[in-house]
Amino acid sequence: MTKGQAADVAAADHATQIFVGHRELLFSIVYNILGTVADTEDVLQETWLSWATRTRARNAEHVDNPRAYLVRVSVNQALARRAEIDRRQETYVGQWLPEPVVTPLADTGDAADTAVRADSASMALLVVLETLTPAERAVFVLHEVFGYAHTEIADLIGRSPAAVRQLAHRAREHVHSRRPRYHADPHLRREVTERFMSAALGGDLKALLQVLAPDVTLWTDGGGKGPATSLHPIHGRDAVAQTLLTVAANARDLDIRYRRVNGDPSAVLFDCGSPIAVLVLDLTPDSHHVRGIYSVTNPDKLTRIDDR
């Protein structure tokens, strides 16, 4: 190998290390903008190709801030992909929910992956973000979730700081009017989730009514492929309880595993080792009752979940 070839290999290795070092941050940002893991992975692949092309030649223009470059490319790729996702949702069968990001409840040694992906927006927040424009969503995610300043975001998405502040203001007001800011204690969330699962799968109507808030809403996403109770959200404690008990009556010998889903303790149901449903609960501000239930049963959105 010549000195020139050795230098090329060293440069390629260095570029790869930089990308890998930022990959989980990029994943979390893009996923919060798109809401699907498959599209997020595609965007990261496109970002890698752009980065590799930029850094391949030894005489390539030096990148002063690799992190800013990678975030800028990935965010703009994500914004371009939003149009395709929106078109798919127009013909989607039933309710569309974000693809769940499932990680272990306890640290299993992959600390970087678990820590960054656990910072993903909650399922409830992602559902609200679906009502924003792509630009509003990107600005909200970058500013509210990842702490980027408006001036930094302006440079990332090619807008003026004034335009970014306006987008941020609209997005923040819209989100906070639908999703008041509070965080349920993880231990209480786990406890309520276990009580809910025990009552629902055990057919205990009284216990189920006690854990559900009067204005609870059930969202079910089967995508026309998995079991889903309704093409539209179901509202109210009595209607939701009866729906859950009807479904549970036909479910036998399911294995419940408790995992983090988008950072929150949640339940994953397995049948013979295969995931069939992810259940995420949204709690009332006092963290004692369930006000929202998000059930994902579309098998296409469960392919990345294992039974370990």
Side-chain angles (χ1 to χ4, degrees):
M1 182 183 295
T2 67
K3 289 184 178 180
Q5 289 172 327
D8 287 340
V9 170
D13 287 345
H14 182 61
T16 300
Q17 290 172 5
I18 290 174
F19 181 82
V20 170
H22 291 91
R23 192 182 190 283
E24 286 305 320
L25 171 66
L26 301 178
F27 178 96
S28 197
I29 291 174
V30 173
Y31 169 79
N32 285 329
I33 294 174
L34 300 181
T36 82
V37 175
D39 288 290
T40 296
E41 294 290 358
D42 287 345
V43 165
L44 294 193
Q45 179 64 20
E46 292 163 356
T47 303
W48 160 249
L49 292 175
S50 174
W51 172 247
T53 300
R54 179 74 178 266
T55 58
R56 182 175 295 126
R58 280 171 292 148
N59 61 351
E61 181 183 349
H62 180 66
V63 179
D64 292 325
N65 190 335
R67 175 186 171 119
Y69 176 86
L70 291 168
V71 171
R72 180 168 60 251
V73 172
S74 62
V75 167
N76 283 281
Q77 291 279 6
L79 287 172
R81 187 166 287 259
R82 271 304 320 182
E84 178 185 334
I85 295 173
D86 292 341
R87 285 194 296 271
R88 293 205 306 262
Q89 290 181 13
E90 289 174 0
T91 58
Y92 194 79
V93 178
Q95 304 163 60
W96 187 94
L97 291 175
E99 182 177 352
V101 173
V102 180
T103 53
L105 274 178
D107 182 15
T108 58
D110 194 359
D113 179 85
T114 301
V116 176
R117 297 198 183 192
D119 285 339
S120 296
S122 68
M123 180 72 73
L125 178 55
L126 286 173
V127 170
V128 175
L129 294 185
E130 285 295 318
T131 62
L132 301 178
T133 67
E136 288 172 345
R137 181 167 181 165
V139 169
F140 183 91
V141 166
L142 289 167
H143 182 63
E144 299 288 334
V145 180
F146 293 95
Y148 279 82
H150 293 150
T151 51
E152 293 178 290
I153 299 172
D155 182 59
L156 291 174
I157 67 173
R159 302 282 187 103
S160 69
V164 167
R165 282 191 291 271
Q166 194 171 47
L167 286 167
H169 176 73
R170 288 203 304 265
R172 186 168 53 252
E173 285 202 332
H174 181 85
V175 170
H176 291 172
S177 68
R178 296 189 176 207
R179 176 75 187 165
R181 184 179 297 182
Y182 76 96
H183 298 285
D185 178 84
H187 298 291
L188 274 176
R189 183 182 291 278
R190 170 71 183 266
E191 178 187 325
V192 172
T193 299
E194 290 181 352
R195 286 199 291 122
F196 168 84
M197 295 304 300
S198 176
L201 293 183
D204 190 337
L205 177 60
K206 181 179 179 180
L208 189 56
L209 291 175
Q210 287 177 342
V211 78
L212 297 178
D215 59 347
V216 63
T217 298
L218 169 64
W219 288 267
T220 57
D221 177 353
K225 300 177 181 181
T229 56
S230 175
L231 295 177
H232 304 285
I234 299 172
H235 304 286
R237 180 161 51 195
D238 291 337
V240 168
Q242 289 298 332
T243 299
L244 291 171
L245 293 184
T246 299
V247 172
N250 298 315
R252 294 289 185 270
D253 301 322
L254 297 180
D255 185 16
I256 307 173
R257 308 284 179 88
Y258 293 99
R259 308 281 179 82
R260 289 191 183 278
V261 177
N262 296 64
D264 293 326
S266 305
V268 182
L269 301 183
F270 290 85
D271 184 12
C272 298
S274 298
I276 63 168
V278 169
L279 288 169
V280 182
L281 305 183
D282 184 28
L283 305 187
T284 54
D286 63 10
S287 298
H288 293 299
H289 296 89
V290 178
R291 69 174 185 177
I293 305 164
Y294 303 93
S295 171
V296 180
T297 60
N298 183 344
D300 293 343
K301 296 184 179 182
L302 307 177
T303 58
R304 294 167 179 82
I305 302 172
D306 60 47
D307 63 350
R308 291 178 296 173

